[in-house]
Amino acid sequence: MKSPLHNIERALLNKCIINKGQLEKAKDIQLKERIRIEEALVKLGYITSSEIIQFFSSEYDLPIIELDKTDITPELINLIPVHLVKKHHILPVSKDNGVITIAVSSPPDLGFLDNLRFILNADFKCVLATPENIKKAINKYYELEPYESVDTLLKELTIRESPVTGVEIEQVEKARDEAQSVEEEGPIIQLVSLIINKAIVSRASDIHVEPLSNRLRVRYRVDGVCQEADVLPKQLQDSIISRIKILSKIDISEKRRPQDGRIGLSYHGKDLDVRVSCLPSIYGESVVMRLLEKSTILMNLKYLGFYENDYNRFQSIIKKPNGILLITGPTGSGKTTTLYAAINELNKGDTKIITAEDPVEYTLRGINQCEVNDKIGFTFPAILRTMLRQDPNIILVGEIRDAETADTAIAAALTGHLVLSTLHTNDAPSAITRLIDMGIKPFLIATSMQGIMAQRLVRTICSDCKEPVKYTPEQLLEMGFETDALRDFTFYKGKGCKRCNSVGYYGRIGIYELLVMNDTLRDMTYRTSATDDIRKAAKTFGMTSLKEDGLRKAKDGKTTLDEVFRVTGIEE
């Protein structure tokens, strides 16, 4: 194959496929719309996509493939990240003897070929297909057909006004919910599917469908931050929410009480569990869908963002034969992920592990997992009491919510079991005060507690648009950082690009505050010392605060100072 840097314009002129006047007009379109020269020529009608592909085939010795006659497996689709597929307009089409065949609409440059070889870690070859066929195949295999966008789909919807008023409206709405008209049902189903598919592709953890006074707002929570995705007409509100409730097996006729449900999905070979929550509001029912991957996720403590000192101290706690380890933080701070990573580390053939969770978020192979069901009395304390008769080595309690659960967990720890659980407190030392406030005797906490770890999640800087940034002393002071200590450090931020949806962040990493109990801290717990005194003592024994750990990660270029400040605020 010839070098992709071969001059396409000169070759097209030499073969008299286009003339100089046409080329100049195409260049104007190319600069204005920031597209490739061949795309501009096709747009102006000087050449067809098929002719361009035939030209590339003869110039670069590349075969042409008919994608509509090619069957592409999910395994091939998952070879290349979706953002690269869409950004570079490529598609994996086959794999033979370790060699991957990639469909392209124009010969890629050498730099991209090297990057792709690094990403795939395999040899590959290119074949040609028209841009239209590649786009159609991408939409097909990433489940974007028959509609590419919400705007396109809305044009297909026909909304019919109810011809009745007053007491008859409720009956008509119920009938419409149970059986949508033929004209409306198809597009509504497609619209809800598109909203969910877009959320999965966007790496969203939650979908928020929020009724407002004059519209229906859809937002995705990506990397812990809500981003507005779509604004839909108010007329579609009942139909969309009814469709979600039908999928999640929620009573569609009940609109005055909160309800919960679940949707099971399969997306490119991955099983997803969607938790649905409906909450009545003044403008209608607000719906939140949480996306969880049901299949086993092999989490490793090394990839959670621990520095070596904290990693070794955490390992020393979970390797103890008995006692309690608490993970604290607000909802969505990654507590469950850390617990599962610890369980995954401890899951050996000679160890019996039982969990009590509400709900079971991920299934773990080789572990006995129990799901709380308050309606039948299968509560945390009830499960814990039964667990102790099952002779486990390790017990995981999803959350300590009350004194009864805490008492039972401590009893299990004192009788030779390692207990892992979570608690809602802002930092590690506060967990001791919280347990005492719940009515737990200080001497029981002092004797059973092995360690407490508070954590948060901060967004990581997008690697594709990472650039240095300078902070003024005033900015540092406003965020609670010492200006003199940070004067010589180079910090980074994300400029914003297509990969990160112009926000400058892509993915998240944990920041941690690990308190390891020792004789001094046990004595302070027994004497019910103030939280501030326990915090000061813990720092002398190696505890790094959340903000200090976040600052370390900002210095290493993993996150930004703004993000650390957003999550931790100003330490008192």
Side-chain angles (χ1 to χ4, degrees):
M1 188 179 82
K2 294 180 184 180
S3 168
L5 299 178
H6 183 70
N7 195 314
I8 295 172
E9 300 168 13
R10 187 182 302 116
L12 289 170
L13 290 171
N14 290 341
K15 292 180 179 291
C16 298
I17 297 174
I18 59 172
N19 57 45
K20 288 184 178 180
Q22 292 173 332
L23 180 59
E24 291 303 319
K25 290 181 181 179
K27 283 185 175 181
D28 290 339
I29 296 293
Q30 179 189 20
L31 291 173
K32 188 178 297 183
E33 299 187 13
R34 297 182 178 180
I35 57 178
R36 296 196 301 266
I37 189 67
E38 63 268 24
E39 291 178 290
L41 289 166
V42 171
K43 189 166 186 175
L44 290 170
Y46 299 147
I47 192 170
T48 66
S49 294
S50 297
E51 290 172 334
I52 280 285
I53 291 300
Q54 292 291 343
F55 166 75
F56 284 147
S57 178
S58 62
E59 281 292 303
Y60 299 98
D61 299 320
L62 290 173
I64 298 173
I65 188 172
E66 295 184 45
L67 289 177
D68 55 347
K69 297 180 181 179
T70 305
D71 185 26
I72 304 174
T73 63
E75 290 76 14
L76 284 168
I77 292 297
N78 292 327
L79 283 176
I80 304 177
V82 62
H83 72 274
L84 288 180
V85 169
K86 293 184 176 180
K87 180 179 179 180
H88 299 285
H89 216 61
I90 60 176
L91 195 73
V93 293
S94 66
K95 186 176 182 180
D96 188 25
N97 295 324
V99 179
I100 302 168
T101 301
I102 308 293
V104 297
S105 57
S106 65
D109 62 71
L110 297 176
F112 173 70
L113 293 175
D114 289 337
N115 289 336
L116 190 58
R117 188 172 288 108
F118 175 78
I119 292 169
L120 297 178
N121 193 26
D123 291 328
F124 66 94
K125 60 182 181 180
C126 294
V127 294
L128 290 168
T130 63
E132 294 82 4
N133 286 340
I134 290 181
K135 183 178 181 180
K136 186 177 179 180
I138 290 174
N139 289 336
K140 174 183 177 181
Y141 289 104
Y142 287 91
E143 300 185 15
L144 294 178
E145 280 198 337
Y147 304 101
E148 291 184 46
S149 69
V150 171
D151 290 337
T152 304
L153 183 54
L154 289 177
K155 294 176 183 177
E156 303 292 330
L157 284 167
T158 302
I159 307 302
R160 298 189 304 165
E161 296 296 332
S162 175
V164 294
T165 58
V167 293
E168 298 180 8
I169 288 180
E170 186 174 345
Q171 297 174 350
V172 172
E173 285 184 345
K174 183 176 179 180
R176 184 183 63 187
D177 289 340
E178 292 175 344
Q180 294 282 355
S181 66
V182 174
E183 298 96 328
E184 189 174 341
E185 183 175 317
I188 285 292
I189 291 172
Q190 292 289 344
L191 180 56
V192 173
S193 297
L194 180 58
I195 289 170
I196 296 174
N197 287 346
K198 282 178 62 180
I200 296 171
V201 172
S202 301
R203 303 178 299 107
S205 60
D206 302 89
I207 306 170
H208 298 259
V209 181
E210 303 166 319
L212 303 178
S213 60
N214 58 352
R215 58 196 172 102
L216 183 68
R217 181 173 66 179
V218 178
R219 294 194 292 174
Y220 299 151
R221 187 177 293 278
V222 181
D223 294 333
V225 178
C226 279
Q227 301 175 6
E228 187 164 304
D230 298 294
V231 175
L232 306 177
K234 185 72 174 177
Q235 301 97 306
L236 297 181
Q237 177 176 307
D238 290 342
S239 300
I240 290 172
I241 292 175
S242 293
R243 173 61 184 167
I244 295 171
K245 291 170 78 172
I246 289 170
L247 287 172
S248 52
K249 296 179 174 59
I250 291 176
D251 184 0
I252 60 175
S253 63
E254 179 57 71
K255 300 182 180 181
R256 296 170 296 177
R257 292 187 302 175
Q259 296 187 86
D260 297 310
R262 303 168 81 158
I263 304 172
L265 297 176
S266 181
Y267 188 82
H268 292 313
K270 296 180 180 180
D271 291 327
L272 296 171
D273 189 18
V274 183
R275 306 284 165 78
V276 181
S277 173
C278 296
L279 178 68
S281 69
I282 60 172
Y283 296 121
E285 289 180 283
S286 174
V287 177
V288 176
M289 293 178 276
R290 169 157 286 190
L291 308 175
L292 298 167
E293 188 177 340
K294 287 177 65 177
S295 59
T296 301
I297 297 180
L298 297 176
M299 303 173 202
N300 195 308
L301 287 171
K302 292 181 179 179
Y303 303 135
L304 295 183
F306 285 112
Y307 281 101
E308 185 176 0
N309 181 45
D310 284 340
Y311 175 78
N312 292 334
R313 295 165 73 228
F314 189 85
Q315 283 278 1
S316 70
I317 295 174
I318 64 173
K319 295 298 172 64
K320 291 182 182 296
N322 55 63
I324 295 180
L325 168 66
L326 286 181
I327 311 294
T328 77
T331 301
S333 59
K335 299 188 299 294
T336 302
T337 300
T338 301
L339 280 181
Y340 280 14
I343 287 294
N344 190 50
E345 185 101 355
L346 298 169
N347 190 13
K348 310 295 181 185
D350 58 352
T351 303
K352 178 161 184 173
I353 303 173
I354 306 180
T355 75
E357 305 171 62
D358 184 21
V360 174
E361 294 193 3
Y362 305 105
T363 55
L364 301 173
R365 187 174 299 171
I367 292 175
N368 302 277
Q369 293 177 269
C370 306
E371 185 163 284
V372 169
N373 188 341
D374 292 327
K375 293 180 181 178
I376 61 172
F378 202 49
T379 60
F380 277 123
I383 295 174
L384 273 169
R385 285 193 294 270
T386 307
M387 274 184 187
L388 297 178
R389 294 193 286 272
Q390 295 277 316
D391 191 29
N393 300 101
I394 300 168
I395 294 172
L396 185 150
V397 184
E399 182 183 345
I400 292 180
R401 297 175 178 173
D402 50 47
E404 188 179 5
T405 305
D407 274 328
T408 310
I410 287 174
L414 293 174
T415 53
H417 304 87
L418 178 65
V419 180
L420 311 179
S421 189
T422 69
L423 190 67
H424 285 282
T425 61
N426 289 327
D427 57 20
S430 297
I432 295 172
T433 307
R434 171 77 177 122
L435 289 172
I436 293 173
D437 289 342
M438 289 170 64
I440 309 302
K441 292 180 171 58
F443 77 90
L444 291 176
I445 302 171
T447 53
S448 62
M449 193 66 61
Q450 296 289 0
I452 306 167
M453 187 172 75
Q455 69 176 67
R456 300 288 190 278
L457 293 175
V458 294
R459 292 178 291 174
T460 52
I461 301 170
C462 175
S463 58
D464 284 10
C465 58
K466 186 175 180 179
E467 64 178 13
V469 61
K470 286 289 184 183
Y471 291 93
T472 65
E474 292 75 19
Q475 288 174 318
L476 294 172
L477 193 62
E478 188 177 337
M479 291 187 286
F481 296 109
E482 296 181 11
T483 56
D484 293 337
L486 303 180
R487 183 175 299 166
D488 298 328
F489 283 96
T490 300
F491 294 100
Y492 296 87
K493 70 171 184 179
K495 185 178 180 180
C497 63
K498 189 174 181 181
R499 181 193 179 218
C500 63
N501 200 23
S502 300
V503 297
Y505 297 98
Y506 191 92
R508 289 189 289 178
I509 192 171
I511 57 174
Y512 305 98
E513 178 179 276
L514 180 57
L515 181 154
V516 179
M517 295 294 284
N518 57 26
D519 291 341
T520 301
L521 295 174
R522 292 184 198 282
D523 183 60
M524 295 180 74
T525 301
Y526 179 76
R527 291 187 284 106
T528 63
S529 299
T531 300
D532 287 343
D533 294 335
I534 295 175
R535 183 182 294 108
K536 290 174 183 176
K539 284 189 174 184
T540 64
F541 294 112
M543 185 184 83
T544 303
S545 72
L546 289 167
K547 190 155 194 172
E548 289 168 346
D549 193 42
L551 179 58
R552 289 192 294 183
K553 290 178 170 68
K555 288 178 179 178
D556 290 343
K558 297 176 182 177
T559 188
T560 65
L561 288 181
D562 306 82
E563 183 68 4
V564 175
F565 174 66
R566 181 185 71 84
V567 171
T568 64
I570 297 178
E571 287 186 348
E572 296 181 1

